[in-house]
Amino acid sequence: MGCFASTPSDTGGQRRRSGSIGEVVVYIPGFRIPKSIDFTQSIGESLPKNLIDRISGLRTRVVVMAAQESPIASKSRRRTATRHGGSSSDDLLQALEEYLPVLLGLGEDGRQLRDKVNFVWLNQEDAAEETGMTNVWYEVLSVLHLMAMLCLSQANSLLMPKSYSDGYQPRVSEESRRNSVEIFLKASGYLDCAIRQVLPQIGNDMRRELPVDLAEGNLRAISLQALGQAVDLQLGMAIDSPKATLAVKRRLACEMVKYWQQAQDNIAGLPLQDGWGKKHQSFVKWKFLESKAAAYYFHGLILDEGNTEKSHRAAAAALHASEEFLRESKKASDAFHSTSPTSRSPVLWGSMKYLSEKIPKEASSKVRINRDLYSQESVIDTAPVLPDFPLALKPDDYQLPQADLSWKRENKQQQENL
């Protein structure tokens, strides 16, 4: 079992560097690309040719499709349809799902093949642009990571505001928002499975050698940010719904704060490099500040429903905090988009369009009203503590598939030959 890390100058590989990645709603960190390998050279004498050809063919298809998809995932655009009516990311996701059961046969207990093949991948966030490990679980981890990134890419495409013929500003349909919530839960599920089922299979020494985009803290951060963006979509739909109460909106906003806070905590100590890694950190910071602005806004409105001077003062303090967090989030947004590779924010929509209009008005109004009522120069106190709600959204319960039946047939054949 071993590991090596090298840069493109060592091997002739090339990691795509982009000056701009276009419009970003969902940041897609650390898109990983597999490099071609020779299974025959590593395990050709241990398995029959038909099984070698099958696993090699499945991985080669993934290599080719991932190389084609990478510029699409890294350069925001609407999903492109294939001749079969799907999209290139859908096709790659299906190819990965077909490859995974065959791959898992190499890692079955008692099989002496899990440390025979050197799996090599390019990445964007780690200092070493290329990492190879002779461990099948490194390959499984990389596959699950790529599946999650493809989901984020799909969500980003769905959430790009679209122009309609009704003359209104570009917007995102409710169907796209609901579909994106499901996609975010799916992405989070892949990463949660990687943490629960795959990382424990990798020894501590090798785990310390993993590239930073596969570090446990990074996997958790991306899983949490997917959940945070799903809650943001739910909040936007609640804002649009006349049936949703202030209490519902506040709860969603407060839950969103916790998801982004946990994502920020997990990513804080990682040795992320300038460029993609620092941009990832900037994205999490930006969304955390946005969530705080939303939570304090709805908390302030509920506090203002009280009939006491104390509740009104607390409401004004909360709304003032909301305005401050909104102002800081706009600075964080600018910092994110200006970090290389640069990006652009699409037309403002959803919860932040609503809050960007409402927060300054409500904050100014409540402070003025409270000053008039209580004849004080200032009614701004320390911001009240936000309510602590249990987190409702959970990752999809994704489980690793069973090893492909071809491995059972191979086992049976070997036993008959004994």
Side-chain angles (χ1 to χ4, degrees):
M1 180 172 68
C3 164
F4 73 87
S6 60
T7 63
S9 59
D10 298 320
T11 62
Q14 185 175 3
R15 177 164 66 179
R16 180 179 183 270
R17 297 186 183 278
S18 174
S20 173
I21 54 175
E23 294 183 341
V24 171
V25 178
V26 182
Y27 183 57
I28 305 149
F31 198 87
R32 316 190 85 243
I33 304 297
K35 292 193 69 176
S36 297
I37 56 176
D38 188 349
F39 283 95
T40 301
Q41 184 178 5
S42 303
I43 54 176
E45 297 180 358
S46 304
L47 293 173
K49 184 176 183 301
N50 65 328
L51 191 50
I52 292 286
D53 288 345
R54 184 161 184 230
I55 192 170
S56 180
L58 288 168
R59 193 179 193 276
T60 298
R61 182 169 68 143
V62 168
V63 169
V64 172
M65 295 175 70
Q68 294 171 345
E69 181 67 14
S70 178
I72 296 174
S74 299
K75 182 88 171 178
S76 300
R77 64 183 73 174
R78 300 195 187 283
R79 296 168 71 188
T80 54
T82 66
R83 62 181 180 177
H84 303 296
S87 74
S88 55
S89 61
D90 288 330
D91 290 345
L92 177 52
L93 194 56
Q94 182 178 347
L96 290 164
E97 290 172 347
E98 292 173 2
Y99 171 53
L100 196 53
V102 180
L103 171 66
L104 285 167
L106 291 175
E108 283 187 330
D109 291 339
R111 194 173 297 280
Q112 304 302 314
L113 301 175
R114 65 175 65 188
D115 303 324
K116 298 295 185 182
V117 182
N118 188 47
F119 296 100
V120 185
W121 289 70
L122 297 172
N123 66 77
Q124 290 173 319
E125 288 194 324
D126 197 64
E129 299 182 1
E130 179 180 296
T131 304
M133 289 189 172
T134 52
N135 187 305
V136 69
W137 293 107
Y138 168 70
E139 177 83 344
V140 175
L141 193 61
S142 299
V143 167
L144 290 174
H145 183 279
L146 179 52
M147 290 166 75
M149 295 307 104
L150 289 169
C151 288
L152 297 185
S153 177
Q154 291 174 350
N156 190 53
S157 297
L158 283 173
L159 296 175
M160 286 291 174
K162 182 180 178 182
S163 296
Y164 294 87
S165 59
D166 54 13
Y168 289 95
Q169 274 195 324
R171 60 188 184 274
V172 178
S173 69
E174 183 170 334
E175 180 183 7
S176 290
R177 286 185 280 176
R178 292 189 183 280
N179 289 340
S180 294
V181 170
E182 295 180 4
I183 290 172
F184 281 130
L185 298 184
K186 189 176 179 181
S188 185
Y190 289 142
L191 296 167
D192 184 61
C193 174
I195 295 165
R196 289 184 295 103
Q197 293 187 256
V198 182
L199 281 180
Q201 303 286 344
I202 301 175
N204 289 333
D205 289 344
M206 181 167 278
R207 284 179 67 168
R208 285 190 286 269
E209 295 177 345
L210 287 171
V212 70
D213 55 351
L214 295 183
E216 182 174 350
N218 205 39
L219 298 176
R220 290 190 184 278
I222 303 171
S223 176
L224 287 160
Q225 73 187 57
L227 297 176
Q229 292 206 265
V231 177
D232 188 21
L233 293 175
Q234 291 181 325
L235 176 60
M237 290 186 281
I239 288 171
D240 291 343
S241 172
K243 296 181 180 180
T245 64
L246 270 180
V248 167
K249 297 169 191 174
R250 180 179 67 173
R251 181 183 181 114
L252 287 170
C254 288
E255 289 182 39
M256 186 164 56
V257 170
K258 292 177 71 173
Y259 285 119
W260 286 109
Q261 176 68 71
Q262 291 177 27
Q264 190 165 255
D265 291 345
N266 275 280
I267 205 173
L270 297 176
L272 294 172
Q273 300 298 303
D274 291 341
W276 292 96
K278 294 300 182 184
K279 194 172 184 71
H280 187 188
Q281 288 180 321
S282 296
F283 182 75
V284 173
K285 178 182 178 180
W286 166 30
K287 292 301 177 181
F288 173 62
L289 291 169
E290 278 190 352
S291 67
K292 295 274 276 191
Y296 273 110
Y297 173 73
F298 290 113
H299 188 42
L301 294 185
I302 288 180
L303 289 172
D304 201 53
E305 291 178 342
N307 293 317
T308 67
E309 177 181 349
K310 182 179 179 181
S311 65
H312 291 160
R313 286 170 61 88
L319 291 167
H320 178 71
S322 175
E323 189 174 30
E324 288 296 311
F325 280 118
L326 179 64
R327 188 177 296 113
E328 290 301 310
S329 75
K330 291 178 179 177
K331 293 179 183 178
S333 173
D334 291 341
F336 164 75
H337 289 299
S338 63
T339 298
S340 180
T342 58
S343 53
R344 303 188 308 276
S345 180
V347 175
L348 201 59
W349 61 275
S351 62
M352 286 315 299
K353 182 178 189 301
Y354 174 87
L355 292 169
S356 294
E357 296 170 355
K358 291 289 187 180
I359 288 174
K361 294 178 182 178
E362 289 289 348
S364 174
S365 172
K366 296 306 177 189
V367 170
R368 186 178 64 254
I369 290 172
N370 278 274
R371 281 176 178 164
D372 293 343
L373 283 174
Y374 305 116
S375 301
Q376 297 177 11
E377 291 184 3
S378 175
V379 295
I380 303 301
D381 296 325
T382 302
V385 176
L386 291 171
D388 184 13
F389 297 107
L391 297 175
L393 275 190
K394 304 295 181 186
D396 277 357
D397 184 21
Y398 179 79
Q399 302 291 326
L400 289 177
Q402 295 292 317
D404 190 81
L405 290 177
S406 57
W407 288 103
K408 291 185 177 180
R409 290 193 291 269
E410 169 59 18
N411 290 341
K412 183 178 180 181
Q413 184 67 40
Q414 288 181 348
Q415 291 174 359
E416 290 175 352
N417 292 336
L418 293 177

